[in-house]
Amino acid sequence: MAVLGRTLLLVSALMGLASAQTIRKNGQVVAADESTVAVAAENVNNELVLTDGVLAQLKSLELANVSLFDFPENLNSTYNDKRPLFTGCKTFPGDLLWPLQPVWKVFDLLTGGALIKTVPIGAVCYTNTDHYDADKCQEVLDHWTESATHADDPTSVMSPLFQGKTCMPQKGDNGTCELGGFPSYAINVSTVAQIQLAINFARNTNIRLVVKNTGHDFLGKSAGAGALSIWTHNLKAIEYIEHHSGCGYSGPAMKLGAGVEVGELYAAADKYGVAAVGGECKGVGVTGGYTQGGGHSPHSSIYGMGADQVLSVDIVLPNGRFITADKKHNTDIFWAVRGGGGSTFGVVTSMTVKVHPKTVYSGLTFYITTGNDSLANVTTPEFIAGLEAYWRRFPEYAAEGHYGYSSLYPRFDGQSGYTWEFHPWLAPGMNLTDFKKTLAPLLAEWKAVGFNVKPEFWEYDNFYEPWTSHFPTEAVANSDLRTGSRLIPAKNWEDPALLNQTIATLEDIMQTGALIMYNMVGKKQAGVDNAVHPVWRENLFYVIVGSSWTDDSTPAEIEEANKAITWNAGAKLRSISQGAGSYLNEADIAEPNFQQSFWGTNYDRLLSIKKQVDPWDTFWAPTAVGSEGWYITRQESWLETQNGRLCRK
Ligand SMILES: Cc1cc2nc3c(=O)[nH]c(=O)nc-3n(C[C@H](O)[C@H](O)[C@H](O)COP(=O)(O)OP(=O)(O)OC[C@H]3O[C@@H](n4cnc5c(N)ncnc54)[C@H](O)[C@@H]3O)c2cc1C
Ligand SMILES: *[C@@H]1O[C@H](CO)[C@@H](O)[C@H](O)[C@H]1NC(C)=O
Ligand SMILES: *[C@@H]1O[C@H](CO)[C@@H](O)[C@H](O)[C@H]1NC(C)=O
Ligand SMILES: *[C@@H]1O[C@H](CO)[C@@H](O)[C@H](O)[C@H]1NC(C)=O
Ligand SMILES: *[C@@H]1O[C@H](CO)[C@@H](O)[C@H](O)[C@H]1NC(C)=O
Ligand SMILES: *[C@@H]1O[C@H](CO)[C@@H](O)[C@H](O)[C@H]1NC(C)=O
Ligand SMILES: *[C@@H]1O[C@H](CO)[C@@H](O)[C@H](O)[C@H]1NC(C)=O
Ligand SMILES: *[C@@H]1O[C@H](CO)[C@@H](O)[C@H](O)[C@H]1NC(C)=O
Ligand SMILES: *[C@@H]1O[C@H](CO)[C@@H](O)[C@H](O)[C@H]1NC(C)=O
C-alpha cells in the first residue's frame, strides 16, 4: 500500500493528476474540450501548419501541457534541463513519465480528433476480447495477403514477423491478443500541423516515434512497441505540373502527397499522357519508404532510381519545423532524403518528381518448369543451360535500358525440379521488332540447348497497359519468411572466372530457396547527386533471397531458417561481391555492416547530417542511418523484432 501510495504521488507530481485539462477563456477557467480549444493550425501558403503564433495563442489561453507541443527554441532551460532524464530508454507505457490520459486528450484536441488508440488488426478475431466480431474477422482473414488490408489500417504492417506476431488473426480461437510491436497510438494525418504536433510531442516527452505509410517495409521499420505513429496514408493529393522549370530541369512533373501509392501515381500519369518512375507493385508508397530508400523501378535502366526523379521535398524536420528542400535550399536534407532511407531525417509530406514522355514498351512473360513428371516442360540440364545463357547476357540488356524481373523457385508440389517465371521482361522505349532483334542470340541459344520456351511477346504505346496486364499482384503478410538481398555489379561479368563463380553460387542457392531476380541498373542521371548507394550505378543483377518455415516447424528449424538468410545465402552472395551492397528497403534486418551495405561511401555524410538535424534521436528505425546507438530489448540473437523497449546502447 505504502509503495503504491508513493508511486501514485510521484506520478501525479510528474505528469499531472488524471483530471481534465483547463483553459482560461474570458477570464474564466473552463474545461479544455472541442468547444474551447481550436485545432492548432494556421493556413500558410495553402498548407495548415503549426506556427509560433498558434502556440503563443494557446499559451496566452493558459492551455495546460501546451509546452509539450512546442518547438525546441521556445522551451526554456527548466524544460531542457529535464533532458538528462532521457538518457536511457525511450519512455514506455507504464513508466512514470508516460503521459497520462489528460495529456493525450490535449493532443487529440490540438490535432482535431486525429488520435487513434491502437487496436491490432487481428483483435476482431479474438473471442476473448471486446473487439471480437466474427464478420470483421472473416473479412480480415479473407483479405489478409492483400496490401490494401494493411495499408488501410492505422497500424498494421505487412511483415508481421517483426511486429512479434502477438495478435495474428489466424490464431483468434486460442491465446491472447497483445500490442507487441504495434505502436500505442497513431495520428491519422491530414495536415502538416498534425505531423508537427506529433513530432514535437514525441521529442519533448521522449516517446518512441514511428512513421507508417502503407506498412510495406520488410524490416519492421513502420512499427514499434510503445510508440506514437504518424500515419501518412491519407495524404493523397496529386498535382500535375505540365511545365516545371528550375533547378536544372525543364519538363513535366508531379507533386505527390506522402500517401500516394504506386498504382495511383501510374494511373494519374497515364491520364496526363506521361509515365512515372515507381516500383513494380501497386500498393507501395511512392514518397515514403520507396523513394527515400532509393527505389528501383521498371524504368530504372533508362531513367534511374525513384530518388533520381525528385525535384523538391516538403518535410517536417525532427525540430518540428516544416521546410522545403531542393537543389538550392536545405541542400543537405535534399541530398540525404533521396536514398538515405525513411524515418530518419523527418516526415516527408510531399515530393515533386519528374515524369517522362509517353513511349513504346515491348516485353515478354513466360512460365517454365523442370522435373521428370508430366508437368515439366524441360529437363533440369536444359533448364540450367537456358538460365545460364540468360545470366551471361546481363550487361547487354541493362545497357539497352531493359528491366528483367523473374522468379526462380524449387517446385512447390514437392517434386524435384524448379520453376522459372518471368513476371515481365520489359523494354521501355523499344518496339517489338527491335526487342526481338536484341533477344535473337539468346533465343537461338535457348533453342540449341533444348530450353524449349514459348514466351508470350507484346508491345504497347504506353507504360500503363503493360504494367496493368503483365505485372503480378504480390501477396503480402507472410509471417514465416525472412528475406535478404544483394546487388551484384558489372565487375562480376567482366572477369570470366568471377562470372563462373557467380553462376555457381546462384545455382547452389537455388537448390534450397527462391531467387527473385532483377536484371537492371540504376542508371546514373546527369547532374543528379544523392544518397543512393553508388553500387546501384554499376548494378546488373539485383537478387532477393528468401527462407521460410511453417507453423509446424520446431524452434530449432525456425532458428535455422532465420540464420540461413544471414549466414548461408547472404554469406555466399557477399563472398562473390565483396564491397558491393544490398538494397536497404528489401534487406536482411541482420545484414552485417549494414552501413556499408546500404550506403557505401555515402554513410559518413548521412550520419553527420542525421546528428545535425536530429540530435535528440527523435526518429529511429532498425538499420536506419544513426540506428546503431540503440537496441531493442528482449531479442533473439538471430531475429530482431519491434516488440520491445528501445534503449540506448
Ligand atoms: C510487395 C512488395 C513489392 C515491392 N516492390 C518494390 C519495387 O518494385 N521497388 C522498390 O524499390 N521497392 C519495392 N518494395 C519495397 C518498398 O520500397 C519498401 O517496402 C518501402 O519501404 C515501402 O515504403 P512505404 O512508405 O510504402 O512503406 P512503410 O512500411 O509505411 O514505410 C517504409 C519506411 O519509410 C518510412 N516512411 C514512410 N513514409 C514516410 C514519410 N512520409 N516520411 C518519412 N519516412 C517515411 C517508414 O517509417 C518506414 O521506415 C516492395 C515491397 C513489397 C512488400
Ligand atoms: C500537464 O498539465 C498539468 C496541469 O493541468 C500538470 O500538472 C502536469 O505536470 C502537466 N504534464 C506534463 C507532462 O507536463
Ligand atoms: C520555464 O517553463 C516552465 C514550463 O513551461 C515554466 O513553468 C517556467 O515558469 C519557465 N521558466 C522561466 C524562467 O521562464
Ligand atoms: C486452438 O487450439 C485447439 C486445441 O489446442 C486446436 O485444435 C485448434 O486447431 C486451435 N485453433 C486455432 C485457430 O489455432
Ligand atoms: C482518417 O482520416 C480520414 C480523413 O483524412 C478519414 O476519412 C478516415 O476515416 C480516418 N481513418 C481512421 C481510421 O480514423
Ligand atoms: C524423378 O522423380 C523421382 C520420383 O519423384 C525422383 O525420385 C527422382 O529424383 C527424379 N529425378 C530427377 C532427375 O528429377
Ligand atoms: C522500331 O524502332 C526502330 C528504331 O526506333 C525503327 O527504325 C523501326 O522502324 C521500328 N519498327 C516498327 C515496326 O515500328
Ligand atoms: C509448360 O507447360 C505448361 C503446362 O504443363 C504450360 O502451361 C506452359 O505454358 C509451358 N511453358 C512453356 C514455356 O512452354
Ligand atoms: C566458365 O565456364 C564456361 C562454361 O562452363 C567455360 O567454358 C569457361 O572455360 C569457364 N571460364 C573460366 C575462366 O573458368
Side-chain angles (χ1 to χ4, degrees):
M1 238 358 244
V3 172
L4 184 63
R6 254 183 53 206
T7 308
L8 280 175
L9 249 169
L10 254 170
V11 170
S12 320
L14 286 163
M15 305 305 292
L17 286 164
S19 59
Q21 304 303 71
T22 56
I23 193 160
R24 185 176 288 276
K25 271 218 156 158
N26 308 323
Q28 304 274 306
V29 176
V30 296
D33 61 28
E34 289 81 355
S35 68
T36 56
V37 179
V39 172
E42 183 181 344
N43 190 325
V44 179
N45 301 327
N46 288 326
E47 204 73 79
L48 287 170
V49 296
L50 182 70
T51 60
D52 293 319
V54 168
L55 286 160
Q57 170 75 6
L58 288 164
K59 273 180 246 172
S60 76
L61 296 172
E62 296 176 26
L63 172 64
N65 305 122
V66 72
S67 64
L68 298 176
F69 302 91
D70 215 331
F71 300 104
E73 313 83 79
N74 298 342
L75 293 168
N76 65 25
S77 61
T78 310
Y79 173 80
N80 284 313
D81 285 350
K82 269 206 251 159
R83 292 218 71 85
L85 288 175
F86 300 162
T87 51
C89 301
K90 295 277 184 177
T91 302
F92 202 73
D95 289 354
L96 290 181
L97 287 170
W98 182 258
L100 293 183
Q101 215 43 54
V103 174
W104 291 101
K105 177 66 190 171
V106 171
F107 187 21
D108 191 42
L109 288 172
L110 296 179
T111 56
L115 189 66
I116 299 173
K117 197 169 200 288
T118 302
V119 176
I121 188 170
V124 290
C125 296
Y126 281 74
T127 47
N128 58 5
T129 72
D130 295 344
H131 304 288
Y132 179 69
D133 182 325
D135 294 342
K136 284 188 185 158
C137 170
Q138 197 53 50
E139 176 117 2
V140 168
L141 292 172
D142 289 348
H143 300 279
W144 183 250
T145 62
E146 295 163 26
S147 69
T149 302
H150 307 278
D152 292 344
D153 182 272
T155 54
S156 189
V157 290
M158 301 181 211
S159 292
L161 178 65
F162 299 109
Q163 177 275 327
K165 300 208 276 183
T166 61
C167 188
M168 295 297 283
Q170 295 83 356
K171 298 278 159 67
D173 292 347
N174 302 306
T176 52
C177 164
E178 284 167 10
L179 271 188
F182 288 119
S184 298
Y185 290 90
I187 279 285
N188 178 11
V189 169
S190 55
T191 69
V192 171
Q194 292 163 334
I195 298 175
Q196 296 177 283
L197 288 162
I199 293 176
N200 284 349
F201 182 62
R203 187 191 59 247
N204 292 338
T205 56
N206 188 43
I207 287 177
R208 183 170 177 194
L209 184 68
V210 301
V211 188
K212 186 206 158 187
N213 181 18
T214 66
H216 267 85
D217 191 82
F218 277 111
L219 297 85
K221 288 163 99 177
S222 34
L228 166 65
S229 176
I230 295 178
W231 183 39
T232 58
H233 174 64
N234 292 306
L235 295 174
K236 293 288 190 188
I238 298 183
E239 184 193 337
Y240 179 58
I241 305 159
E242 197 177 346
H243 302 289
H244 182 283
S245 87
C247 297
Y249 173 75
S250 129
M254 276 180 153
K255 184 171 179 181
L256 309 172
V260 172
E261 293 169 18
V262 165
E264 294 161 340
L265 169 63
Y266 289 166
D270 188 59
K271 190 172 101 188
Y272 295 111
V274 290
V277 176
E280 37 87 10
C281 171
K282 71 174 178 188
V284 165
V286 184
T287 76
Y290 171 81
T291 298
Q292 293 179 54
H296 65 76
S297 169
H299 286 117
S300 283
S301 301
I302 52 170
Y303 302 137
M305 307 295 289
D308 299 340
Q309 316 308 313
V310 181
L311 296 164
S312 92
V313 178
D314 293 333
I315 181 171
V316 182
L317 297 177
N319 66 6
R321 298 294 180 179
F322 178 52
I323 61 150
T324 296
D326 60 25
K327 223 172 171 175
K328 293 200 183 110
H329 311 95
N330 300 296
T331 51
D332 274 351
I333 290 289
F334 185 55
W335 179 82
V337 88
R338 292 174 299 148
S343 197
T344 305
F345 305 101
V347 176
V348 167
T349 64
S350 67
M351 285 183 178
T352 302
V353 300
K354 293 177 194 172
V355 289
H356 302 273
K358 200 169 155 174
T359 182
V360 64
Y361 292 78
S362 49
L364 64 78
T365 49
F366 67 69
Y367 179 95
I368 194 163
T369 289
T370 77
N372 57 7
D373 63 4
S374 63
L375 284 176
N377 311 89
V378 289
T379 67
T380 296
E382 288 161 349
F383 183 91
I384 300 283
L387 200 50
E388 286 193 15
Y390 171 62
W391 279 336
R392 290 182 185 279
R393 290 180 166 83
F394 273 14
E396 195 186 324
Y397 305 135
E400 294 277 10
H402 295 190
Y403 171 76
Y405 170 31
S406 65
S407 340
L408 184 63
Y409 38 86
R411 266 179 62 168
F412 288 135
D413 57 8
Q415 299 291 318
S416 67
Y418 306 98
T419 297
W420 183 14
E421 194 170 356
F422 236 107
H423 299 301
W425 183 331
L426 186 75
M430 193 176 261
N431 62 31
L432 191 53
T433 314
D434 284 355
F435 182 54
K436 283 187 168 167
K437 214 181 283 170
T438 307
L439 264 58
L442 174 65
L443 298 178
E445 186 172 344
W446 276 352
K447 202 167 175 196
V449 299
F451 183 73
N452 240 325
V453 69
K454 290 166 205 72
E456 183 195 346
F457 282 97
W458 29 263
E459 181 195 82
Y460 297 88
D461 69 354
N462 67 86
F463 173 64
Y464 197 60
E465 279 179 275
W467 180 72
T468 45
S469 313
H470 302 291
F471 280 67
T473 302
E474 281 160 5
V476 299
N478 180 341
S479 62
D480 298 336
L481 173 71
R482 270 283 287 276
T483 52
S485 69
R486 197 71 192 162
L487 292 156
I488 306 179
K491 203 161 77 180
N492 286 56
W493 275 258
E494 284 154 14
D495 169 353
L498 183 55
L499 179 56
N500 283 2
Q501 199 193 337
T502 303
I503 288 172
T505 302
L506 295 168
E507 284 170 7
D508 173 17
I509 295 171
M510 73 187 245
Q511 313 281 324
T512 53
L515 296 177
I516 311 223
M517 314 195 289
Y518 297 87
N519 170 212
M520 66 179 155
V521 57
K523 194 179 180 193
K524 173 93 186 134
Q525 304 296 297
V528 173
D529 173 35
N530 57 34
V532 170
H533 195 318
V535 75
W536 271 110
R537 311 305 175 187
E538 309 146 34
N539 183 63
L540 287 183
F541 193 9
Y542 169 53
V543 60
I544 300 178
V545 290
S547 172
S548 59
W549 56 96
T550 69
D551 276 357
D552 303 329
S553 301
T554 64
E557 286 163 350
I558 295 174
E559 177 174 347
E560 191 190 324
N562 273 273
K563 284 181 170 167
I565 281 301
T566 315
W567 301 116
N568 187 355
K572 286 171 181 164
L573 290 170
R574 285 191 296 277
S575 79
I576 54 154
S577 58
Q578 286 173 36
S582 169
Y583 177 37
L584 68 97
N585 271 338
E586 297 175 322
D588 173 12
I589 194 171
E591 176 76 16
N593 193 7
F594 73 86
Q595 297 90 338
Q596 186 287 324
S597 250
F598 299 166
W599 295 284
T601 49
N602 287 334
Y603 192 72
D604 291 348
R605 182 173 172 203
L606 283 166
L607 185 60
S608 97
I609 295 171
K610 168 71 176 174
K611 285 183 171 156
Q612 193 201 323
V613 301
D614 190 12
W616 314 275
D617 279 344
T618 304
F619 288 86
W620 185 91
T623 74
V625 169
S627 62
E628 55 279 81
W630 299 77
Y631 72 100
I632 293 171
T633 57
R634 344 177 337 194
Q635 301 295 333
E636 305 285 0
S637 65
W638 41 268
L639 177 66
E640 180 181 277
T641 78
Q642 299 312 302
N643 183 9
R645 189 185 271 261
L646 179 61
C647 296
R648 279 185 202 279
K649 275 182 186 157

